[in-house]
Amino acid sequence: MGAPVVAPVVDVDITAPQWRAALPDAAEQCRRIAAAALGAAEDRWPVDRPERLEVSVLLADDATLRGLNRDWRGIDAPTNVLSFPALDGAPPPPAGPVPLGDVAVAFETVAREAAAAGRSIPQHLAHMIVHGVLHLLGHDHEDEADAEDMERLETAVLAALGVPDPYCDDAGDNEHRPLRQ
């Protein structure tokens, strides 16, 4: 029998009841998805042991994300996902937990986008969690090359989780359809 798998700490706070209604196991799903995203981006870890990594996920509503978006980005509108890196370039503490940051997701926006894309809410939530966690590790989509790298990694993580490629249409032609905002 091999050594036990040690996972990062993923704290999930569900403040919007719609999440529990749509996805009763939302907290466990978020933990599994965040761990998968972290595992796929091991080269970006600020430490060498996953059990030191901590991520917080907030499953909220549009009003909450609108307030966060307004206060932190100066955009007075709801959005699907926001990431707040904790280290932001600073070195990690030499011992103990390493908080990577927070990922916040809005129910109404995710539900609306999922319906428009012909995806389920759990599939789109998975995409938003993966996207948010990758941002915590320093991935971004500020230029085309970085965006393509990030999308490629998102797609690989989601495929491993059984979630279809969010950047391709459902017709099966695999034509790239950017969803970046």
Side-chain angles (χ1 to χ4, degrees), residues 31-155:
R31 287 184 193 96
R32 185 175 60 84
I33 294 160
L38 288 166
E42 186 175 352
D43 62 320
R44 298 270 184 128
W45 290 357
V47 293
D48 61 352
R49 295 188 356 251
E51 69 271 16
R52 289 189 62 202
L53 301 175
E54 292 185 351
V55 172
S56 293
V57 174
L58 172 64
L59 297 182
D61 58 16
D62 271 7
T64 300
L65 270 280
R66 180 180 184 164
L68 291 169
N69 207 18
R70 180 191 61 238
D71 295 349
W72 291 95
R73 298 178 64 221
I75 301 171
D76 191 13
T79 189
N80 49 20
V81 63
L82 291 170
S83 296
F84 301 96
L87 294 176
D88 210 16
V98 177
L100 291 178
D102 307 313
V103 174
V105 186
F107 181 81
E108 296 92 337
T109 298
V110 166
R112 189 172 47 256
E113 290 175 348
R119 307 265 193 256
S120 69
I121 291 173
Q123 288 172 336
H124 197 44
L125 172 62
H127 182 205
M128 296 300 96
I129 297 294
V130 169
H131 187 87
V133 168
L134 293 180
H135 273 308
L136 296 181
L137 291 170
H139 286 276
D140 67 46
H141 41 82
E142 295 301 314
D143 65 45
E144 193 61 32
D146 288 343
E148 288 176 8
D149 288 343
M150 188 171 178
E151 289 172 9
R152 196 172 8 265
L153 187 53
E154 286 174 6
T155 300

